[in-house]
Amino acid sequence: LIRHPEGYGRGKKIDAFVQPPDLFTTILDCLDVSTELKLQYTAPVDLTFPQDIVVSSTPVQILGRSMVPLLKGEADKHREVVITAHHNHQWVIRDRDYAYHYHPKGNRPNELYNRRSDRTEQHDIIAKEPDAAKALESRLKAFVEGIT
């Protein structure tokens, strides 16, 4: 649920995949603040003052994507998939057709559900559709490698 001061998206239900980090990026976009942020480290240098002299900085990786194009009607899609995780015990990647549950510790078997016919994810079909599971697992692992 979003309310933009200029009324973008007012009264519309937008059927697009979004993630919580997208909200932060959307707020920055609405405020016209760059998403190219840097974490700055400060310290006294040669005992001079002020002690807030920047001695180094690190770029901050922003994973969110602004939802403003969705709100303005400039885009129909935002993401092809959404990814959630629970303390590295389970990762889930969902697209329009499937939900793939990946258990990185191997303490449970991985699972695949058809989102169109099984919205409550009760009937694991990984044995019937191993190619879909492999494709989603590859996509999930590529995402994780990209953020670490």
Side-chain angles (χ1 to χ4, degrees):
L1 201 58
I2 294 179
R3 182 185 178 279
H4 190 278
E6 295 179 24
Y8 302 145
R10 180 182 295 142
K12 289 187 352 187
K13 180 181 178 190
I14 300 170
D15 183 25
F17 283 142
V18 298
Q19 300 234 195
D22 297 337
L23 186 57
F24 175 64
T25 310
T26 301
I27 292 168
L28 291 178
D29 190 8
C30 290
L31 296 172
D32 205 24
V33 174
S34 173
T35 57
E36 294 181 19
L37 305 175
K38 290 189 177 195
L39 182 59
Q40 296 182 333
Y41 302 95
T42 60
V45 178
D46 295 327
L47 300 176
T48 59
F49 291 94
Q51 293 186 357
D52 58 352
I53 296 172
V54 176
V55 293
S56 67
S57 64
T58 304
V60 176
Q61 183 181 15
I62 306 265
L63 299 177
R65 298 179 187 165
S66 174
M67 295 181 280
V68 169
L70 281 175
L71 297 172
K72 288 183 172 181
E74 297 170 353
D76 297 346
K77 293 182 179 180
H78 190 62
R79 295 177 176 275
E80 295 295 321
V81 298
V82 290
I83 297 171
T84 56
H86 180 68
H87 302 291
N88 213 22
H89 290 285
Q90 179 184 43
W91 288 73
V92 180
I93 181 170
R94 288 179 174 87
D95 64 14
R96 295 275 176 211
D97 298 317
Y98 298 102
Y100 177 68
H101 295 239
Y102 175 71
H103 303 278
K105 294 186 177 191
N107 56 339
R108 291 180 52 191
N110 297 330
E111 307 155 65
L112 181 70
Y113 299 97
N114 183 314
R115 295 190 69 235
R116 296 191 187 272
S117 63
D118 182 16
R119 297 294 286 174
T120 59
E121 300 179 5
Q122 300 296 309
H123 307 286
D124 183 5
I125 61 167
I126 198 165
K128 294 178 186 174
E129 300 201 40
D131 292 341
K134 287 177 188 173
L136 286 169
E137 183 174 324
S138 293
R139 195 163 188 180
L140 175 64
K141 288 180 175 180
F143 169 79
V144 171
E145 288 174 11
I147 63 170
T148 56

